[in-house]
Amino acid sequence: DCEYMFNPPLLRDPTVAAVLIDVAVRELATYSTTSREDEAALVDALLGEDVRLSIRFRVTQKRVLMQLITDAARVLEDSAIEDHPTVEPADLKSPTALGTLAERVDLFNTWAQSRQWPALHVKAAILQSHGSRAGTVATKPLAQGEPYIEVPEFDCL
């Protein structure tokens, strides 16, 4: 089992949980070794101390990511929101568990609108001018110094 060395923010929102699962799964996919291979490598008595520390650090990173996936999956299981995309264990192997970028942008915008923040004058969009990456665009003309977004502390991670 893995315990956090800090108190992570409370994870309650199923949309945030689904995004965290997607990000954690993508991060796990970047490792060239499995946890089992890392554990097996640590048994090697000829392993240098610097390499041993690196492998132990990698093992710890993977455990934290897996714990995050477990915690976020529990939030999704406990969620009673019917229109929320369900992430099945088999889907965790797919880096696109939440659908296309356009679907994820729409999901985020729907979630942000539902939060009823004091100011929300931007929205997520796919920016063709930036290689079709996600970014933000203003939803109305903004005056200099006018807040374009105000996120209450309870929605901050």
mmCIF file of all heavy atoms in Angstrom, residues 33-47 52 55-56 58-59 62-63:
data_model
loop_
_atom_site.group_PDB
_atom_site.id
_atom_site.type_symbol
_atom_site.label_atom_id
_atom_site.label_comp_id
_atom_site.label_asym_id
_atom_site.label_seq_id
_atom_site.Cartn_x
_atom_site.Cartn_y
_atom_site.Cartn_z
ATOM 1 N N THR A 33 9.412 0.399 -17.776
ATOM 2 C CA THR A 33 9.426 -0.836 -16.996
ATOM 3 C C THR A 33 8.128 -0.967 -16.209
ATOM 4 O O THR A 33 7.473 0.022 -15.921
ATOM 5 C CB THR A 33 10.600 -0.841 -15.981
ATOM 6 O OG1 THR A 33 10.444 0.283 -15.101
ATOM 7 C CG2 THR A 33 11.941 -0.787 -16.681
ATOM 8 N N THR A 34 7.814 -2.201 -15.868
ATOM 9 C CA THR A 34 6.655 -2.438 -15.009
ATOM 10 C C THR A 34 7.113 -2.386 -13.548
ATOM 11 O O THR A 34 8.319 -2.478 -13.262
ATOM 12 C CB THR A 34 6.039 -3.825 -15.279
ATOM 13 O OG1 THR A 34 6.992 -4.828 -14.903
ATOM 14 C CG2 THR A 34 5.648 -3.994 -16.745
ATOM 15 N N SER A 35 6.170 -2.273 -12.647
ATOM 16 C CA SER A 35 6.507 -2.293 -11.218
ATOM 17 C C SER A 35 7.157 -3.616 -10.845
ATOM 18 O O SER A 35 8.096 -3.655 -10.042
ATOM 19 C CB SER A 35 5.244 -2.069 -10.376
ATOM 20 O OG SER A 35 4.761 -0.773 -10.579
ATOM 21 N N ARG A 36 6.683 -4.686 -11.437
ATOM 22 C CA ARG A 36 7.244 -6.017 -11.166
ATOM 23 C C ARG A 36 8.712 -6.086 -11.609
ATOM 24 O O ARG A 36 9.569 -6.616 -10.890
ATOM 25 C CB ARG A 36 6.413 -7.081 -11.887
ATOM 26 C CG ARG A 36 6.698 -8.485 -11.424
ATOM 27 C CD ARG A 36 5.720 -9.461 -11.998
ATOM 28 N NE ARG A 36 4.454 -9.301 -11.284
ATOM 29 C CZ ARG A 36 3.321 -9.848 -11.647
ATOM 30 N NH1 ARG A 36 3.268 -10.603 -12.709
ATOM 31 N NH2 ARG A 36 2.225 -9.667 -10.948
ATOM 32 N N GLU A 37 9.015 -5.512 -12.775
ATOM 33 C CA GLU A 37 10.407 -5.486 -13.255
ATOM 34 C C GLU A 37 11.278 -4.636 -12.336
ATOM 35 O O GLU A 37 12.431 -4.994 -12.054
ATOM 36 C CB GLU A 37 10.465 -4.954 -14.685
ATOM 37 C CG GLU A 37 9.868 -5.885 -15.710
ATOM 38 C CD GLU A 37 9.671 -5.233 -17.074
ATOM 39 O OE1 GLU A 37 9.493 -3.993 -17.145
ATOM 40 O OE2 GLU A 37 9.703 -5.979 -18.080
ATOM 41 N N ASP A 38 10.741 -3.516 -11.854
ATOM 42 C CA ASP A 38 11.491 -2.660 -10.942
ATOM 43 C C ASP A 38 11.794 -3.396 -9.643
ATOM 44 O O ASP A 38 12.931 -3.349 -9.140
ATOM 45 C CB ASP A 38 10.706 -1.378 -10.632
ATOM 46 C CG ASP A 38 10.635 -0.437 -11.816
ATOM 47 O OD1 ASP A 38 11.462 -0.552 -12.747
ATOM 48 O OD2 ASP A 38 9.732 0.425 -11.814
ATOM 49 N N GLU A 39 10.786 -4.071 -9.086
ATOM 50 C CA GLU A 39 10.986 -4.816 -7.842
ATOM 51 C C GLU A 39 12.032 -5.921 -8.034
ATOM 52 O O GLU A 39 12.865 -6.150 -7.157
ATOM 53 C CB GLU A 39 9.664 -5.415 -7.349
ATOM 54 C CG GLU A 39 8.611 -4.394 -6.961
ATOM 55 C CD GLU A 39 8.927 -3.619 -5.690
ATOM 56 O OE1 GLU A 39 9.846 -4.008 -4.940
ATOM 57 O OE2 GLU A 39 8.251 -2.611 -5.445
ATOM 58 N N ALA A 40 11.983 -6.580 -9.187
ATOM 59 C CA ALA A 40 12.962 -7.632 -9.471
ATOM 60 C C ALA A 40 14.369 -7.053 -9.586
ATOM 61 O O ALA A 40 15.344 -7.661 -9.132
ATOM 62 C CB ALA A 40 12.580 -8.371 -10.759
ATOM 63 N N ALA A 41 14.504 -5.878 -10.169
ATOM 64 C CA ALA A 41 15.816 -5.248 -10.324
ATOM 65 C C ALA A 41 16.414 -4.879 -8.972
ATOM 66 O O ALA A 41 17.641 -4.932 -8.792
ATOM 67 C CB ALA A 41 15.700 -4.015 -11.209
ATOM 68 N N LEU A 42 15.567 -4.522 -8.021
ATOM 69 C CA LEU A 42 16.066 -4.125 -6.695
ATOM 70 C C LEU A 42 16.706 -5.280 -5.931
ATOM 71 O O LEU A 42 17.460 -5.061 -4.984
ATOM 72 C CB LEU A 42 14.919 -3.520 -5.873
ATOM 73 C CG LEU A 42 14.462 -2.135 -6.322
ATOM 74 C CD1 LEU A 42 13.188 -1.734 -5.571
ATOM 75 C CD2 LEU A 42 15.553 -1.103 -6.117
ATOM 76 N N VAL A 43 16.443 -6.512 -6.344
ATOM 77 C CA VAL A 43 17.003 -7.689 -5.683
ATOM 78 C C VAL A 43 18.483 -7.866 -6.036
ATOM 79 O O VAL A 43 19.238 -8.454 -5.269
ATOM 80 C CB VAL A 43 16.188 -8.950 -6.075
ATOM 81 C CG1 VAL A 43 16.792 -10.219 -5.504
ATOM 82 C CG2 VAL A 43 14.746 -8.788 -5.622
ATOM 83 N N ASP A 44 18.914 -7.304 -7.150
ATOM 84 C CA ASP A 44 20.292 -7.443 -7.631
ATOM 85 C C ASP A 44 21.272 -6.848 -6.627
ATOM 86 O O ASP A 44 21.275 -5.638 -6.381
ATOM 87 C CB ASP A 44 20.437 -6.750 -8.981
ATOM 88 C CG ASP A 44 21.797 -6.952 -9.627
ATOM 89 O OD1 ASP A 44 22.703 -7.514 -8.979
ATOM 90 O OD2 ASP A 44 21.943 -6.539 -10.789
ATOM 91 N N ALA A 45 22.129 -7.700 -6.044
ATOM 92 C CA ALA A 45 23.093 -7.257 -5.033
ATOM 93 C C ALA A 45 24.185 -6.373 -5.628
ATOM 94 O O ALA A 45 24.834 -5.616 -4.914
ATOM 95 C CB ALA A 45 23.714 -8.482 -4.345
ATOM 96 N N LEU A 46 24.418 -6.472 -6.925
ATOM 97 C CA LEU A 46 25.477 -5.689 -7.570
ATOM 98 C C LEU A 46 25.016 -4.305 -8.020
ATOM 99 O O LEU A 46 25.790 -3.530 -8.562
ATOM 100 C CB LEU A 46 26.022 -6.461 -8.774
ATOM 101 C CG LEU A 46 26.633 -7.831 -8.462
ATOM 102 C CD1 LEU A 46 27.057 -8.534 -9.739
ATOM 103 C CD2 LEU A 46 27.807 -7.678 -7.503
ATOM 104 N N LEU A 47 23.771 -3.991 -7.765
ATOM 105 C CA LEU A 47 23.196 -2.706 -8.163
ATOM 106 C C LEU A 47 23.847 -1.571 -7.374
ATOM 107 O O LEU A 47 23.956 -1.646 -6.147
ATOM 108 C CB LEU A 47 21.694 -2.739 -7.889
ATOM 109 C CG LEU A 47 20.771 -1.878 -8.718
ATOM 110 C CD1 LEU A 47 20.894 -2.189 -10.198
ATOM 111 C CD2 LEU A 47 19.339 -2.075 -8.270
ATOM 112 N N ARG A 52 19.906 2.074 -7.414
ATOM 113 C CA ARG A 52 18.904 1.525 -6.489
ATOM 114 C C ARG A 52 17.950 2.640 -6.033
ATOM 115 O O ARG A 52 16.732 2.457 -6.021
ATOM 116 C CB ARG A 52 19.592 0.879 -5.285
ATOM 117 C CG ARG A 52 18.633 0.205 -4.311
ATOM 118 C CD ARG A 52 19.348 -0.499 -3.169
ATOM 119 N NE ARG A 52 20.384 -1.426 -3.600
ATOM 120 C CZ ARG A 52 20.161 -2.648 -4.094
ATOM 121 N NH1 ARG A 52 18.940 -3.089 -4.203
ATOM 122 N NH2 ARG A 52 21.162 -3.417 -4.469
ATOM 123 N N ILE A 55 15.590 3.579 -8.897
ATOM 124 C CA ILE A 55 14.534 2.580 -9.096
ATOM 125 C C ILE A 55 13.499 2.678 -7.973
ATOM 126 O O ILE A 55 12.293 2.634 -8.225
ATOM 127 C CB ILE A 55 15.123 1.159 -9.196
ATOM 128 C CG1 ILE A 55 15.966 1.037 -10.473
ATOM 129 C CG2 ILE A 55 14.014 0.108 -9.183
ATOM 130 C CD1 ILE A 55 16.752 -0.257 -10.578
ATOM 131 N N ARG A 56 13.952 2.846 -6.730
ATOM 132 C CA ARG A 56 13.008 2.985 -5.614
ATOM 133 C C ARG A 56 12.128 4.219 -5.787
ATOM 134 O O ARG A 56 10.929 4.179 -5.493
ATOM 135 C CB ARG A 56 13.772 3.039 -4.286
ATOM 136 C CG ARG A 56 14.327 1.663 -3.901
ATOM 137 C CD ARG A 56 15.130 1.693 -2.635
ATOM 138 N NE ARG A 56 14.346 2.198 -1.511
ATOM 139 C CZ ARG A 56 14.881 2.716 -0.421
ATOM 140 N NH1 ARG A 56 16.191 2.808 -0.288
ATOM 141 N NH2 ARG A 56 14.116 3.136 0.561
ATOM 142 N N ARG A 58 11.277 5.554 -8.680
ATOM 143 C CA ARG A 58 10.335 5.222 -9.756
ATOM 144 C C ARG A 58 9.219 4.331 -9.234
ATOM 145 O O ARG A 58 8.046 4.534 -9.567
ATOM 146 C CB ARG A 58 11.089 4.561 -10.913
ATOM 147 C CG ARG A 58 10.220 4.278 -12.117
ATOM 148 C CD ARG A 58 11.015 3.813 -13.313
ATOM 149 N NE ARG A 58 11.738 2.591 -13.031
ATOM 150 C CZ ARG A 58 12.996 2.352 -13.423
ATOM 151 N NH1 ARG A 58 13.666 3.257 -14.089
ATOM 152 N NH2 ARG A 58 13.576 1.215 -13.139
ATOM 153 N N VAL A 59 9.552 3.360 -8.406
ATOM 154 C CA VAL A 59 8.537 2.479 -7.812
ATOM 155 C C VAL A 59 7.557 3.302 -6.985
ATOM 156 O O VAL A 59 6.338 3.112 -7.062
ATOM 157 C CB VAL A 59 9.200 1.375 -6.950
ATOM 158 C CG1 VAL A 59 8.188 0.670 -6.065
ATOM 159 C CG2 VAL A 59 9.929 0.380 -7.839
ATOM 160 N N LYS A 62 5.169 5.266 -9.202
ATOM 161 C CA LYS A 62 4.134 4.391 -9.753
ATOM 162 C C LYS A 62 3.084 4.044 -8.697
ATOM 163 O O LYS A 62 1.893 4.005 -8.993
ATOM 164 C CB LYS A 62 4.761 3.112 -10.312
ATOM 165 C CG LYS A 62 5.591 3.347 -11.552
ATOM 166 C CD LYS A 62 6.262 2.054 -12.001
ATOM 167 C CE LYS A 62 7.189 2.291 -13.172
ATOM 168 N NZ LYS A 62 7.875 1.050 -13.563
ATOM 169 N N ARG A 63 3.499 3.831 -7.458
ATOM 170 C CA ARG A 63 2.554 3.521 -6.390
ATOM 171 C C ARG A 63 1.624 4.709 -6.129
ATOM 172 O O ARG A 63 0.424 4.530 -5.906
ATOM 173 C CB ARG A 63 3.287 3.138 -5.107
ATOM 174 C CG ARG A 63 3.876 1.758 -5.171
ATOM 175 C CD ARG A 63 4.575 1.410 -3.881
ATOM 176 N NE ARG A 63 5.166 0.084 -3.973
ATOM 177 C CZ ARG A 63 6.142 -0.343 -3.212
ATOM 178 N NH1 ARG A 63 6.649 0.442 -2.268
ATOM 179 N NH2 ARG A 63 6.625 -1.550 -3.360
#
